[in-house]
Amino acid sequence: MLHQLSLKNRRAAAAAGGVLVLAALGVNAPAHAASYGTPTIGLSVSYLSGAVGATGDPVVTVTVAQSGADAAALAVAASASSKSSVAGTGDVTVTGTGATRQLAVAAHARGYTDLTIKVTGLGGKTATKTLHFAASAAVQNTADTRYLTGSSDASAAVDAGDGYVVVADDESNTLRLYNRSASGAPVKSWDVGSALGADKEIDIEGAARVGNTIYWTGSLGNNKDGEYKSDRNTVFTTTVTGSGAATRLTVGGSYKKLRDDLVAWDKTNGNRYGFAAGTADGEVPKQIDGFNIEGLEFAPGSTTTAYLGFRAPLVPPKEGGKALMVPVTNFDKVAGSGAKAAIGTPIELDLGGLSIRDIRKNAADQYLIVAGSWAADDNSDPYALYTWDGVAAHAPVKRADLPTADPGGWEAVVDVPDLTVPGARAQLITDAGSADLYGDGTEAKDLDHAEWKKSRAAWFTVGS
């Protein structure tokens, strides 16, 4: 008992008891779970799109931290899925060991799911974030397919060099720069509307590059309700500096009377193509005798004469009619400095009853023409790929029928390889704005989140 101890021993016992009390309170005790903070987790995006069976789907960057702990000690994994038939926790892969990780999702079925992504820190402390995932259905040729997210309405494309492409959208006035070999969001974007004084969509449908100048054209037609909207009657230029991921665009010149020039030219020549009727108030553009431009490319060996490729009208305007191209012989000055258009001799091409959806050439003046229906129907209408030498008197040659079973209509060809090389490939891009990508009846252009909007790019063999 304490009263039986000497004074010296009583003091030693009291000191020992105090140490026990302090230890119980955690004072000067060894570090343990109570000294670690709650971990943090961040996702580079909250919304992600994938596709069943896709190659190289977009990834999410995950950042984690915990005070008092090395980031390498933290574990990251999916802990829950609201619809595991679309993608379950086991379909989420996380790579990396430091403060920054990469997360990928392998989709099993079309639809939506919310994935809970959890970081577990030292001391058993956790934190979570939700990743809203949307999966589109499997498509043909998945190994050669990539998805350009942020927009679903790709309408024109121009090679930017070093594996990158500038893509226009016919539902906005934004140009976007993408990595051609990887699915994902644009690395840069430029809204050209304000620089062009365009409050509404230009309905960009065609593009062609000469040196460091890209020429762009709106559809020039009425809108889908048959109304004239002046911003759609726009052609313009952008100046390119740099290449690849370092590409920069600056808006140059513009012109907003090319449609007027074309209508006046056709009237002077006896209304052969019905441009005045096709642009009349109440006339919708996508009909067999309508007025709608979707292709733009320069004539062989020329930096001044550009071909305007028409989706409508067909010539004559009946089934089996020919596709129409109209040369503008001073297009460099029209788009560059606002000169009145000088119209050349029109060209009528036999594309098997299809019209022009895009046209592109290479430095050797080898052309690829994407041919499709004039109609505003679903994407099951026929599409075909033709080669041509750019000479009006020479007929295009059908190279292939393009697949139509998957969502999106073929709308743009990025560039043209040497067509004499066996196995040479070209990359084409779809406009998927009207497609129900995720099976809920929502058109892609109307989806709430830009990350879920996407166009599909695919490679096709075109070399002889």
Side-chain angles (χ1 to χ4, degrees):
M1 296 182 64
L2 184 61
H3 68 271
Q4 294 177 319
L5 298 176
S6 67
L7 178 61
K8 180 178 180 180
N9 288 337
R10 288 200 302 271
R11 288 174 176 171
V19 170
L20 292 174
V21 172
L22 290 174
L25 293 175
V27 179
N28 293 324
H32 59 76
S35 65
Y36 298 117
T38 300
T40 61
I41 180 170
L43 306 179
S44 58
V45 295
S46 296
Y47 297 85
L48 183 69
S49 174
V52 178
T55 299
D57 256 350
V59 298
V60 178
T61 299
V62 183
T63 55
V64 293
Q66 184 182 27
S67 61
D70 189 321
L74 310 183
V76 179
S79 60
S81 170
S82 64
K83 193 170 185 179
S84 58
S85 60
V86 173
T89 57
D91 300 312
V92 178
T93 302
V94 180
T95 56
T97 57
T100 301
R101 318 284 175 94
Q102 298 296 313
L103 181 151
V105 183
H108 276 307
R110 184 185 185 199
Y112 302 92
T113 185
D114 284 347
L115 294 164
T116 302
I117 310 303
K118 182 168 72 174
V119 57
T120 302
L122 296 184
K125 294 188 175 183
T126 65
T128 63
K129 286 285 187 181
T130 299
L131 178 63
H132 307 283
F133 182 69
S136 56
V139 299
Q140 303 173 68
N141 305 319
T142 56
D144 290 327
T145 297
R146 299 293 182 269
Y147 294 92
L148 311 180
T149 66
S151 165
S152 58
D153 298 88
S155 57
V158 175
D159 183 35
D162 300 329
Y164 285 77
V165 59
V166 179
V167 180
D169 177 340
D170 61 18
E171 292 289 321
S172 75
N173 297 329
T174 300
L175 307 176
R176 296 175 175 85
L177 181 69
Y178 290 97
N179 182 341
R180 296 174 63 179
S181 64
S183 294
V187 297
K188 290 182 182 178
S189 62
W190 301 267
D191 186 341
V192 300
S194 59
L196 294 168
D199 297 326
K200 304 297 183 181
E201 67 186 51
I202 295 170
D203 191 25
I204 302 170
E205 292 288 358
R209 181 171 181 172
V210 176
N212 290 326
T213 301
I214 303 176
Y215 296 84
W216 306 88
T217 182
S219 68
L220 309 190
N222 292 342
N223 69 9
K224 63 183 179 180
D225 297 318
E227 301 169 333
Y228 174 70
K229 300 294 182 181
S230 60
D231 288 337
R232 299 164 75 93
N233 188 6
T234 302
V235 294
F236 66 98
T237 68
T238 54
T239 300
V240 181
T241 55
S243 64
T247 296
R248 297 183 300 278
L249 299 181
T250 305
V251 174
S254 64
Y255 184 57
K256 296 192 175 185
K257 293 288 184 179
L258 181 54
R259 162 173 153 152
D260 307 65
D261 295 344
L262 289 164
V263 170
W265 165 82
D266 193 41
K267 284 182 178 178
T268 299
N269 289 275
N271 290 310
R272 178 178 178 182
Y273 297 114
F275 288 172
T279 56
D281 186 47
E283 292 297 314
V284 297
K286 296 173 184 177
Q287 51 188 343
I288 201 165
D289 58 352
F291 183 95
N292 193 79
I293 291 170
E294 293 212 355
L296 176 67
E297 186 54 278
F298 281 79
S302 180
T303 59
T304 60
T305 297
Y307 294 148
L308 300 176
F310 282 74
R311 176 172 178 167
L314 284 183
V315 184
K318 63 182 183 180
E319 293 299 322
K322 292 184 177 180
L324 175 64
M325 287 204 307
V326 175
V328 177
T329 60
N330 62 336
F331 194 81
D332 59 325
K333 294 182 174 60
V334 171
S337 56
K340 183 178 180 179
I343 312 298
T345 303
I347 301 169
E348 299 172 11
L349 298 176
D350 184 357
L351 300 179
L354 300 177
S355 57
I356 295 169
R357 303 299 287 271
D358 197 20
I359 180 170
R360 180 69 63 244
K361 72 164 188 164
N362 60 21
D365 292 330
Q366 299 170 331
Y367 289 75
L368 281 177
I369 299 173
V370 178
S373 172
W374 51 267
D377 293 337
D378 62 27
N379 297 320
S380 63
D381 285 329
Y383 287 85
L385 199 58
Y386 283 78
T387 58
W388 187 46
D389 63 4
V391 177
H394 296 172
V397 177
K398 186 176 181 179
R399 187 58 61 98
D401 289 310
L402 294 172
T404 58
D406 300 318
W410 299 106
E411 194 80 2
V413 55
V414 177
D415 59 2
V416 180
D418 184 346
L419 298 175
T420 66
V421 175
R425 303 199 306 166
Q427 190 177 39
L428 277 62
I429 303 176
T430 64
D431 179 341
S434 299
D436 175 10
L437 294 177
Y438 305 114
D440 64 344
T442 304
E443 291 190 351
K445 68 177 69 177
D446 296 327
L447 290 165
D448 292 334
H449 306 288
E451 295 90 343
W452 286 350
K453 300 179 180 182
K454 61 185 178 182
S455 295
R456 179 167 48 95
W459 293 89
F460 293 94
T461 300
V462 295
S464 56

